[in-house]
Amino acid sequence: MAPATEALAVSHGPYRLHAEITPGPGAPAVLMHGFPDSSRLYDRLVPHLTGRLPVVRFDFLGWGRSDKPSGHAYTVAQQVDDLAAVADALAAGRTNRRLVLVAHDASGPPAIDWALDHPERVARLVLLNTYYHWTPALRRPPAIALYSTPLLRSAARAVARRLPDLDRRLYVWQVGGFIRDPQVREAYVERLYAQFPAARPAFWALNDELLHAVLSRRRRIPEMREFQPPVRVVFGTLDRWLNTRVARQFSVIFPHSELRLLMRAGHYVQVDEPERVADAITAP
């Protein structure tokens, strides 16, 4: 019988983060979601990891089942603090404080920031179709470009407020395009969209910061070149935006990296190929 998932008590100041852990041997794998999704993104992956190592997934503040304080500054820096709170909760009572960090999409910046600041606490960094710094190879999916481009984003948000059905159709079109299997796609998109309207303030705030976030992180490339823990870059090749050129650049910059390209997977690589992603996360 598979180990039962347990709630993990995590707070960020006065706010509560939804976090859960499935017990297992070794260093915990911390699964981080991007946007516009939540920790539910890992529903297909978690069963393939269970029993192989402890599995932790959580929703960043403002997302999923975590608190959504009104007027809060939802930023990459806040997400770094969210990850720090999860790491500290896991470290309590443990002799081994190291973590396997698994980042996808918009969780790349907070995961890599925290890893660069705390390399001694990183057992492995796993990058799943994610980004960190600006590079000519990086592309924004159409919906992200719509909501992150200055001037254009104001008009787009006004339309989303007035025409929620149109906003929902845009979400279904964009997120549905991230999933290869039509049968998996329908159930997943409905599951993720159910949590999205309440997370819209966090989504828009991270889009406001997106261009600055990727440009400013170029200054940390020298630190990336000196990063000693192992890095595994696992990208679906069908992703046109966070594409194989981005993956190869990660593998070149990080000195102790391994590149795995999954030929039948797209942007949601953990949905399209959960068994192979699980093997990549757990491989020694």
Side-chain angles (χ1 to χ4, degrees):
M1 182 179 296
T5 298
E6 305 167 359
L8 179 67
V10 182
S11 60
H12 180 166
Y15 307 117
R16 179 196 62 86
L17 295 180
H18 173 81
E20 55 190 34
I21 181 169
T22 302
V30 179
L31 312 179
M32 287 166 276
H33 67 87
F35 61 12
D37 41 74
S38 70
S39 60
R40 297 298 307 270
L41 181 65
Y42 290 97
D43 284 356
R44 278 172 60 83
L45 176 64
V46 169
H48 298 286
L49 293 173
T50 299
R52 301 167 77 172
L53 76 179
V55 182
V56 180
R57 55 176 168 169
F58 72 97
D59 293 313
F60 286 108
L61 199 66
W63 295 88
R65 287 170 281 180
S66 289
D67 286 349
K68 302 170 181 65
S70 177
H72 188 77
Y74 295 105
T75 64
V76 173
Q78 163 248 304
Q79 292 188 321
V80 174
D81 289 342
D82 288 351
L83 174 55
V86 173
D88 290 345
L90 288 168
R94 290 177 179 264
T95 55
N96 183 357
R97 294 159 54 90
R98 296 198 305 160
L99 304 173
V100 177
L101 299 178
V102 181
H104 173 260
D105 190 75
S107 61
I112 296 174
D113 274 359
W114 191 88
L116 293 177
D117 291 338
H118 305 280
E120 75 286 353
R121 297 185 64 182
V122 179
R124 183 181 304 115
L125 177 62
V126 182
L127 304 178
L128 308 177
N129 288 76
T130 190
Y131 62 88
Y132 183 63
H133 60 284
W134 182 85
T135 164
L138 189 62
R139 299 287 184 270
R140 290 173 292 169
I144 301 301
L146 181 67
Y147 286 120
S148 63
T149 302
L151 300 180
L152 180 60
R153 65 193 181 204
S154 297
R157 293 172 192 186
V159 171
R161 292 186 186 99
R162 294 172 187 166
L163 300 172
D165 185 61
L166 180 61
D167 181 60
R168 183 183 184 280
R169 281 186 283 165
L170 176 62
Y171 185 98
V172 169
W173 170 76
Q174 183 68 89
V175 175
F178 293 156
I179 301 172
R180 183 189 67 213
D181 188 317
Q183 292 183 319
V184 174
R185 179 188 306 141
E186 182 176 359
Y188 244 87
V189 172
E190 290 297 323
R191 186 181 311 161
L192 293 173
Y193 184 77
Q195 295 182 322
F196 177 67
R200 194 174 282 116
F203 173 66
W204 285 345
L206 284 178
N207 273 277
D208 287 344
E209 190 192 26
L210 179 60
L211 298 179
H212 171 74
V214 297
L215 287 171
S216 65
R217 275 157 181 79
R218 288 185 60 84
R219 62 182 169 78
R220 303 203 73 173
I221 291 176
E223 296 173 72
M224 296 167 70
R225 296 191 189 280
E226 298 297 323
F227 189 69
Q228 294 305 304
V231 177
R232 194 158 286 152
V233 183
V234 185
F235 270 47
T237 64
L238 302 180
D239 189 345
R240 291 176 290 169
W241 304 286
L242 306 184
N243 50 63
T244 56
R245 288 178 295 162
V246 176
R248 290 191 173 95
Q249 287 173 344
F250 276 131
S251 70
V252 168
I253 292 173
F254 283 112
H256 305 290
S257 66
E258 175 192 347
L259 177 63
R260 298 191 182 193
L261 299 178
L262 305 188
M263 306 304 292
R264 299 183 63 249
H267 180 65
Y268 281 169
V269 63
Q270 62 275 78
V271 177
D272 286 345
E273 294 284 356
E275 293 184 54
R276 296 180 68 190
V277 170
D279 289 343
I281 291 170
T282 58

